[in-house]
């Protein structure tokens, strides 16, 4: 089944890192996605970074005040329209362009799955990462 998957990118004053997170989400092989950027009242050029992406799958929301990280995540989940959701922190990015596609395949295979946690790479350069 082609579920809508919401990729949630909560952010606060990390415009310099946000671009890479959004680019990695847009490169996903799974087409039925929406990208929610939930700006926690940033004072940098976060809005401008998002507006440079001319893609109607991206939805930008800015909080009127900083809610803290947990409430910002919860707000992104409320805004999301997808049947499945993935939180992608603003300082992270997908290494595997088939990540969402593979998660949906797992979900379709094991309908009792409620949460998927995968390996992540911390403190490595692009040349050092490995995928399974």
């Amino acid at each position: 089944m082609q579920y809508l998957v919401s990729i949630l990118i909560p952010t606060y004053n990390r415009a310099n890192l946000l671009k890479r997170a959004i680019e990695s989400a847009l490169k996903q092989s799974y087409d039925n996605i929406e990208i929610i950027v939930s700006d926690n009242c940033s004072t940098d050029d976060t809005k401008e970074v998002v507006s440079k992406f001319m893609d109607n799958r991206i939805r930008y929301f800015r909080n009127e005040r900083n809610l803290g990280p947990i409430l910002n995540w919860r707000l992104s989940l409320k805004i999301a329209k997808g049947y499945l959701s993935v939180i992608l922190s603003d300082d992270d990015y997908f290494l595997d362009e088939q990540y969402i596609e593979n998660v949906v395949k797992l979900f379709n295979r094991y309908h009792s799955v409620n949460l998927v946690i995968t390996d992540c790479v911390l403190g490595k350069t692009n040349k050092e990462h490995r995928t399974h």
Side-chain angles (χ1 to χ4, degrees), residues 61-121:
F61 297 89
R62 185 177 189 277
N63 300 328
E64 291 182 17
R65 63 181 178 82
N66 188 308
L67 305 174
I70 302 301
L71 291 178
N72 192 35
W73 294 346
R74 291 174 90 183
L75 181 62
S76 340
L77 283 167
K78 282 185 182 179
I79 293 167
K81 295 179 180 178
Y83 188 74
L84 303 171
S85 296
V86 174
I87 295 178
L88 177 66
S89 297
D90 55 6
D91 62 341
D92 293 333
Y93 57 96
F94 293 117
L95 294 172
D96 183 356
E97 292 179 5
Q98 286 81 38
Y99 177 80
I100 300 295
E101 181 179 340
N102 290 332
V103 168
V104 171
K105 284 179 186 176
L106 277 173
F107 185 81
N108 283 332
R109 188 171 183 188
Y110 305 103
H111 291 288
S112 62
V113 171
N114 292 318
L115 175 67
V116 175
I117 298 174
T118 59
D119 289 340
C120 66
V121 178

Side-chain angles (χ1 to χ4, degrees), residues 3 13 15 19 21 33 35 37 41 45 61 70 80 88 94 103 108 110 112 127:
Y3 297 107
N13 282 344
K19 181 181 177 195
I33 63 169
I35 300 166
V37 178
C41 200
D45 62 343
F61 297 89
I70 302 301
L88 177 66
F94 293 117
V103 168
N108 283 332
Y110 305 103
S112 62
K127 292 179 183 177

Side-chain angles (χ1 to χ4, degrees), residues 15 18 39 42 44-52 60 62:
L18 180 62
D39 181 354
S42 295
D44 63 3
D45 62 343
T46 294
K47 184 176 182 176
E48 289 76 22
V49 167
V50 176
S51 69
K52 289 181 182 176
Y60 172 80
R62 185 177 189 277

